[in-house]
């Protein structure tokens, strides 16, 4: 029993021990142990004169006692086979027989048999003992199976780990990985020979090989009639038990090679990337025989590792190149950030990096200057005059690329007739190959960059792609300088606008303070001398805020002379009525302006009125004036319109705040009444008292009386306030006119 518990013990030795012990302890004369393995059933051990010998392959049949036990998973015990089973084969006339199945997970994995010549059967202790042996054998066989599987898995993991180690140590070279994979595939599948082939230039090339069998080729066509070609084309594994048995029509070249080199078993597992094969692992055996499922799975795992290694090397090289390019771009961006007002240092950095990443000798940048292109930056040995200018007429590659907004490449500019000026320059300067890319902003050229070589080697797609990256950086630099200058001009306005918004957000419910802030900044930023904010009040526009020297005078005057909402003779009234911005560059020259009294009082010449629009409805106007004859610019008008939007937000916020506050007070009053009702379900008077008390508070009154109508008369039921009642219990007729006081 101790041996049964050891998973490393040889099962054949255990089987011999068990059958020997069975005979000795059960009083039987013969015993046998049948065991199932991946290839079927085998007679694993015998004792005594049995019809079979150890190692025989067999199949369980219902005509045999052991076969019945194996197929049913049940014990069979015959006390006298001559009576119970007269037709059961018994060449040695053994009349007492028993077969006990060895079961794991409800399935027979073995059978223990025993017999003796005399009838009478085995007693119960013996049967129990043999069944115990069967149970112990089930445990031992399972332990051995698990141990074998674990050992095999460990060996596979060791092989995979070794491949992964080589992958990690060879990030730039796939050859050591493929060599290791070929060796591991041969070692762990017990074959003589293994190789790895990859697709290159439309053919299959042997890249790595391990083993004694020769390879009489280094490359063969993908369309060839071989097993490997088929595995690659169909992207699936081919497991060939015998190359000799293959069809001549489909595998002629493969069969001829196998016959010539002396191998029979063959396995081809494709290296799959995104579902398509990029190569294959090939295993060859001298003897015939298919590879087991475990061996196929292991080789397919090796194939996956090979793909990982190949991809790693490709990605590493691409990443290295991309990193170098990003480093160059970072350098250019650093120069861009340090030269916000000068594009020349950036263009010089771009030409310098273009030489390095585009494998060229010379680079030049041209920018437009009227109807010419002028030199902006240059790196390289090609002679270039500092005042170089090309007419923008299409006679040079630069001007053609600029005019047509497209990249142009030629292998030998000296022989080109399409660009006469360019060809003349190339012959004079000694360069041949050239490529010119336009610097495009929103599809329009703002310059060009040209690369030039002294030989006729054409620029590759990768090199032109790198050039496009530098083109983008040049456009960024040019655009940055332009935007910097524009931004500098508007920075002051944006800073002031931010301050306005800050003031508005800080006084969200102080409407008067917000409007004062808006009109003050609007007037200052637009250089207006006076400014006003109006809000609709019935059918007039009431002044809510003002700014400037004449603000107080106009405020006092408009108290008695308000602007009507339908009066379009003033810019303010027209802006409100028509819900659009009104700009009058010269009041004296505008016949539509008829508000002469206001002009006379203010002395203005230029007017700007912007409506305050909320939900497509005018609710007020911002009005500005100047006494000098200097119209407002479009940027100033847009600025005031943005302030108008902020004023609308402030007005709406104040309205919503007041409405919310009023609603809250109303809800509080109703809540108090409802609370009183809930606390006085049988008393009416506390509820009536709460109603008159809250009516005074909520409605802004001083005194409230609540009278109820009963039998044609009113009677006072609740009172709150300082005004005394003449007769608290007095009843009033319905027709009296002084019911309440």
């Amino acid at each position: 029993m101790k041996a049964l518990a050891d998973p490393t013990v040889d099962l054949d030795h255990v089987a011999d021990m068990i059958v020997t012990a069975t005979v000795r302890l059960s009083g039987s004369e013969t015993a046998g142990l049948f065991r199932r393995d991946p290839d079927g059933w085998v007679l694993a051990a015998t004792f005594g004169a049995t019809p079979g010998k150890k190692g025989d392959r067999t199949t369980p049949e219902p005509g045999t006692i052991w076969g019945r036990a194996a197929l049913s998973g049940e014990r069979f015990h015959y006390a006298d086979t001559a009576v119970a089973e007269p037709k059961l084969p018994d060449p040695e006339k053994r009349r007492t027989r028993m077969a006990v199945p060895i079961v794991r997970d409800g399935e027979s994995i073995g059978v223990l048999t025993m017999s003796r010549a005399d009838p009478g059967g085995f007693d119960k202790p013996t049967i129990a003992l043999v069944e115990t042996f069967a149970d112990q054998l089930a445990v031992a066989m399972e332990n051995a199976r698990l141990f074998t599987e674990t050992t095999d898995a460990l060996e596979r993991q060791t092989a995979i780990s070794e491949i992964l180690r080589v992958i990690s140590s060879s990030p730039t070279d796939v050859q050591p990985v493929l060599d290791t994979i070929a060796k591991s595939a041969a070692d762990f599948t017990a074959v003589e020979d293994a190789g790895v082939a990859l697709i290159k230039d439309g053919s299959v090339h042997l890249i790595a090989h391990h083993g004694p069998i020769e390879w009489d080729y280094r490359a063969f066509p993908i369309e060839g009639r071989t097993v490997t070609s088929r595995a690659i084309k169909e992207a699936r594994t081919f497991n060939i038990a015998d190359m000799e048995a293959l069809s001549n029509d489909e595998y002629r070249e493969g069969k001829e090679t196998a016959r010539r080199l002396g191998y029979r078993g063959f396995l081809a597992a494709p290296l799959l990337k995104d579902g398509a094969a990029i190569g294959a692992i090939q295993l060859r055996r001298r003897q015939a025989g298919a590879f087991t499922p475990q061996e196929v799975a292991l080789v397919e795992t090796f194939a996956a590792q090979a793909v990982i290694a190949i991809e790693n090397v490709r990605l590493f090289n691409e990443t290295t190149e991309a990193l170098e390019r990003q480093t160059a771009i970072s350098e250019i961006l650093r120069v861009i950030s340090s030269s916000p007002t000068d594009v020349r240092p950036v263009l010089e950095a771009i030409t310098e990096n273009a030489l390095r990443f585009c494998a060229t000798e010379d680079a030049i940048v041209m920018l437009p200057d009227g109807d010419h292109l002028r030199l902006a930056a240059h790196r390289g040995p090609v002679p270039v005059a500092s005042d170089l200018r090309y007419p923008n007429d299409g006679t040079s590659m630069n001007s053609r690329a600029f005019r047509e907004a497209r990249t142009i490449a030629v292998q030998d500019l000296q022989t080109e007739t399409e660009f006469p000026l360019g060809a003349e320059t190339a012959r004079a300067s000694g360069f041949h190959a050239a490529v010119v890319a336009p610097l495009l902003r929103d599809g329009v050229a703002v310059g060009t960059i040209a690369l030039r070589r002294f030989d006729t080697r054409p620029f590759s797609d990768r090199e032109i792609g790198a050039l496009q990256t530098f083109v983008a950086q040049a456009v960024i630099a040019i655009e940055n300088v332009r935007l910097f200058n524009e931004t500098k001009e508007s920075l002051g306005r944006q800073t002031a606008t931010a301050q306005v918004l800050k003031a508005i957000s800080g006084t969200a419910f102080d409407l008067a303070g917000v409007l004062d802030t808006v009109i003050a900044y609007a007037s200052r930023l637009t250089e207006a001398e006076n400014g006003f904010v109006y809000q609709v009040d019935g059918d007039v526009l009431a002044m809510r805020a003002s700014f400037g020297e004449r603000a107080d005078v106009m405020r006092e005057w408009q108290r008695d002379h308000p602007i009507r909402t339908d009066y379009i003779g003033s810019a303010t009234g027209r802006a409100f009525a028509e819900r659009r911005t009104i700009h009058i560059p010269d009041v004296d020259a505008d016949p539509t302006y008829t508000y002469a009294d206001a002009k006379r009082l203010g002395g203005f010449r230029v007017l700007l009125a912007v409506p305050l629009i909320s939900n497509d409805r005018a609710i007020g106007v911002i009005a500005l004036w100047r006494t000098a004859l200097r119209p407002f610019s479009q940027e100033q008008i847009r600025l005031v319109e943005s302030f108008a939007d902020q004023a609308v937000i402030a007005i709406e916020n104040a309205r919503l705040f007041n409405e919310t506050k009023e609603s809250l007070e109303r809800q509080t009053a109703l809540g108090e009444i409802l609370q009183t009702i809930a606390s006085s379900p049988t008393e009416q008077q506390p509820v009536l008292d709460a109603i008159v008390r809250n009516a005074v508070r909520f409605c802004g009154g001083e005194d409230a009386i609540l009278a109820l109508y009963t039998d044609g008369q009113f009677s006072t039921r609740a009172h709150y306030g300082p005004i005394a009642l003449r007769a608290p219990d007095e009843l009033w007729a319905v027709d009296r006119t002084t019911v309440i006081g």
Side-chain angles (χ1 to χ4, degrees):
M1 293 304 174
K2 182 177 180 182
L4 292 176
D6 185 358
T8 64
V9 126
D10 182 5
L11 275 182
D12 290 337
H13 176 64
V14 170
D16 290 337
M17 291 174 56
I18 288 292
V19 296
T20 301
T22 299
V23 170
R24 187 178 76 250
L25 297 176
S26 67
S28 61
E29 299 168 353
T30 67
L33 175 63
F34 295 86
R35 186 179 74 226
R36 193 181 70 183
D37 60 24
D39 296 324
W41 287 81
V42 62
L43 182 57
T46 63
F47 186 94
T50 58
K53 64 180 183 299
K54 181 177 180 179
D56 285 350
R57 287 283 170 184
T58 185
T59 302
E61 299 290 347
T64 63
I65 187 172
W66 84 268
R68 291 181 182 182
L71 294 173
S72 67
E74 298 178 357
R75 171 175 56 81
F76 283 81
H77 177 212
Y78 296 130
D80 189 349
T81 56
V83 176
E85 292 286 350
K87 295 183 179 180
L88 190 70
D90 187 14
E92 298 182 19
K93 306 300 182 183
R94 299 188 182 280
R95 300 177 65 179
T96 297
R97 284 176 172 269
M98 184 166 65
V100 179
I102 301 167
V103 179
R104 184 189 72 227
D105 297 332
E107 190 174 1
S108 297
I109 61 172
V111 177
L112 182 60
T113 65
M114 64 199 71
S115 66
R116 65 171 181 257
D118 60 305
F122 296 102
D123 58 22
K124 290 183 178 180
T126 299
I127 294 173
L129 177 64
V130 173
E131 288 180 335
T132 300
F133 284 169
D135 292 339
Q136 294 298 324
L137 269 173
V139 173
M141 292 167 67
E142 177 68 0
N143 284 348
R145 182 186 67 82
L146 292 174
F147 180 79
T148 300
E149 289 181 357
T150 302
T151 302
D152 292 344
L154 181 60
E155 291 177 348
R156 289 196 298 270
Q157 290 301 318
T158 302
I160 294 172
S161 297
E162 173 62 16
I163 294 171
L164 293 175
R165 185 192 65 77
V166 178
I167 289 175
S168 64
S169 63
S170 305
T172 61
D173 185 6
V174 75
Q175 190 62 50
V177 180
L178 300 184
D179 290 340
T180 302
I181 286 175
K183 182 178 185 305
S184 296
D187 290 346
F188 287 93
T189 57
V191 298
E192 291 87 350
D193 195 88
V196 181
L198 297 179
I199 298 175
K200 294 172 58 179
D201 302 324
S203 298
V204 182
H205 294 255
L206 180 66
I207 304 299
H209 172 234
H210 179 83
I213 301 177
E214 293 183 9
W215 293 82
D216 62 353
Y217 59 86
R218 285 291 164 179
F220 58 92
I222 298 177
E223 299 300 324
R225 286 179 292 184
T226 68
V227 175
T228 303
S229 296
R230 189 81 170 267
I232 289 175
K233 285 189 295 184
E234 299 183 15
R236 64 186 180 93
T237 299
F238 278 72
N239 185 1
I240 308 300
D242 191 351
M243 292 291 291
E244 281 294 319
L246 293 178
S247 164
N248 286 329
D249 291 337
E250 292 186 83
Y251 301 101
R252 179 171 300 165
E253 291 91 343
K255 284 188 66 173
E256 290 175 354
T257 301
R259 191 178 297 119
R260 184 172 59 255
L261 298 178
Y263 60 87
R264 303 283 293 275
F266 191 84
L267 178 72
L271 311 183
L272 299 178
K273 177 190 172 189
D274 300 329
I278 61 172
I281 296 179
Q282 306 163 92
L283 273 64
R284 305 184 293 182
R285 279 178 176 159
R286 296 189 186 278
Q287 73 277 13
F291 290 82
T292 67
Q294 293 84 357
E295 290 173 330
V296 172
L298 180 61
V299 173
E300 288 176 340
T301 300
F302 290 156
Q305 300 300 322
V307 173
I308 292 173
I310 293 168
E311 279 298 286
N312 279 356
V313 171
R314 181 184 66 81
L315 291 173
F316 183 88
N317 293 333
E318 289 181 358
T319 301
T320 301
E321 181 179 332
L323 180 60
E324 292 175 349
R325 186 178 303 172
Q326 289 300 318
T327 302
I329 292 173
S330 298
E331 172 63 18
I332 294 170
L333 293 175
R334 185 192 65 77
V335 177
I336 289 175
S337 65
S338 63
S339 305
T341 60
D342 186 4
V343 75
R344 187 175 182 83
V346 181
L347 299 182
E348 290 176 348
I350 286 173
T351 55
E352 185 174 337
N353 281 284
L355 299 184
R356 182 158 51 120
F357 286 97
C358 300
T360 188
E361 293 93 353
D362 193 271
I364 187 171
V365 178
M366 308 286 287
L367 296 181
D369 184 8
D371 57 357
H372 284 70
L373 293 174
R374 61 172 176 79
L375 176 68
H378 173 240
R379 280 288 187 278
V382 176
V384 174
S386 59
D387 58 349
L388 175 66
R389 285 163 60 89
Y390 287 154
N392 197 3
D393 58 3
T395 59
S396 65
M397 289 180 64
N398 281 277
S399 61
R400 184 72 62 84
F402 183 88
R403 294 175 63 178
E404 299 181 3
R406 66 183 179 92
T407 299
I408 299 173
V410 297
Q411 187 170 354
D412 190 354
L413 184 56
Q414 292 189 17
T415 62
E416 282 288 335
T417 58
E418 188 177 356
F419 309 106
L421 179 58
E424 180 184 342
T425 303
R427 286 191 292 268
S429 303
F431 65 89
H432 290 271
V435 59
V436 181
L439 312 181
L440 299 178
R441 184 183 71 228
D442 298 330
V444 178
V446 295
T448 62
I449 180 169
L451 305 180
R452 304 183 287 190
R453 283 176 176 160
F454 287 109
D455 56 29
T456 58
R457 180 168 42 95
F459 288 90
S460 66
D461 291 341
R462 187 196 66 79
E463 292 163 344
I464 294 176
L467 175 62
Q468 296 296 340
T469 301
F470 296 127
V471 163
Q473 302 304 316
V475 173
I476 291 173
I478 295 169
E479 185 70 359
N480 277 359
V481 171
R482 182 184 67 82
L483 291 175
F484 182 87
N485 293 331
E486 291 181 359
T487 302
K488 185 177 180 181
E489 294 175 0
S490 63
L491 183 59
R493 293 195 299 272
Q494 294 299 323
T495 302
T497 301
Q499 292 174 350
V500 170
L501 297 176
K502 181 180 179 181
I504 289 174
S505 64
T507 55
F509 304 113
D510 177 13
L511 182 58
V514 171
L515 298 182
D516 285 341
T517 301
V518 167
I519 196 59
Y521 277 103
S523 300
R524 291 183 183 129
L525 291 175
T526 59
E527 299 175 341
E529 295 161 14
N530 284 272
F532 309 91
V533 179
Y534 297 89
Q535 189 177 1
V536 65
D537 186 2
D539 58 356
V540 300
L541 294 171
M543 187 183 296
R544 300 301 191 199
S546 59
F547 177 85
E549 294 181 0
R550 306 290 294 173
D552 292 340
V553 174
M554 291 301 295
R555 180 186 293 274
E556 290 296 328
W557 183 75
Q558 286 192 340
R559 284 176 183 168
D560 299 325
H561 305 85
I563 303 173
R564 293 184 58 83
T565 55
D566 58 356
Y567 179 54
I568 62 174
S570 72
T572 302
R574 195 192 313 172
F576 183 88
E578 298 179 4
R579 291 182 301 169
R580 66 183 180 91
T581 298
I582 302 298
H583 179 213
I584 302 179
D586 187 354
V587 173
D588 292 346
D590 191 336
T592 65
Y593 186 81
T594 60
Y595 202 18
D597 291 340
K599 178 187 179 305
R600 192 164 40 251
L601 186 65
F604 47 79
R605 290 290 300 275
V606 180
L607 282 176
L608 176 65
V610 177
L612 310 181
I613 305 296
S614 175
N615 295 325
D616 204 32
R617 180 177 61 88
I619 62 172
V621 178
I622 290 180
L624 303 173
W625 84 43
R626 285 176 179 161
T627 57
L629 190 59
R630 183 165 49 87
F632 292 90
S633 69
Q634 288 300 316
E635 289 185 3
Q636 291 171 334
I637 293 173
R638 285 194 294 270
L639 183 63
V640 176
E641 288 173 341
S642 70
F643 285 152
D645 293 338
Q646 298 302 322
V648 170
I649 292 172
I651 292 170
E652 286 299 294
N653 282 352
R655 180 184 63 79
L656 291 173
F657 178 78
N658 292 332
E659 289 180 358
T660 302
K661 182 178 179 183
E662 181 180 333
S663 175
L664 180 61
E665 291 175 348
R666 184 183 297 116
Q667 292 299 323
T668 302
L670 292 176
E672 182 178 335
I673 293 170
L674 293 174
Q675 183 178 4
T676 304
I677 291 172
S679 61
S680 305
T682 60
E683 297 183 47
Q684 191 181 56
Q685 192 58 44
V687 178
L688 301 181
D689 291 340
I691 289 173
V692 294
R693 182 170 61 253
N694 281 286
V696 170
R697 183 177 65 179
F698 187 72
C699 299
E702 298 176 354
D703 194 276
I705 296 174
L706 189 151
L708 296 182
Y709 177 71
T710 307
D711 299 330
Q713 293 180 316
F714 281 102
S715 62
T716 302
R717 296 299 303 275
H719 169 240
Y720 182 83
I723 302 176
L725 296 178
R726 291 179 300 175
D729 299 327
E730 183 180 0
L731 298 176
W732 299 304
V734 174
D735 59 352
R736 291 191 57 177
T737 58
T738 57
V739 174
I740 301 178

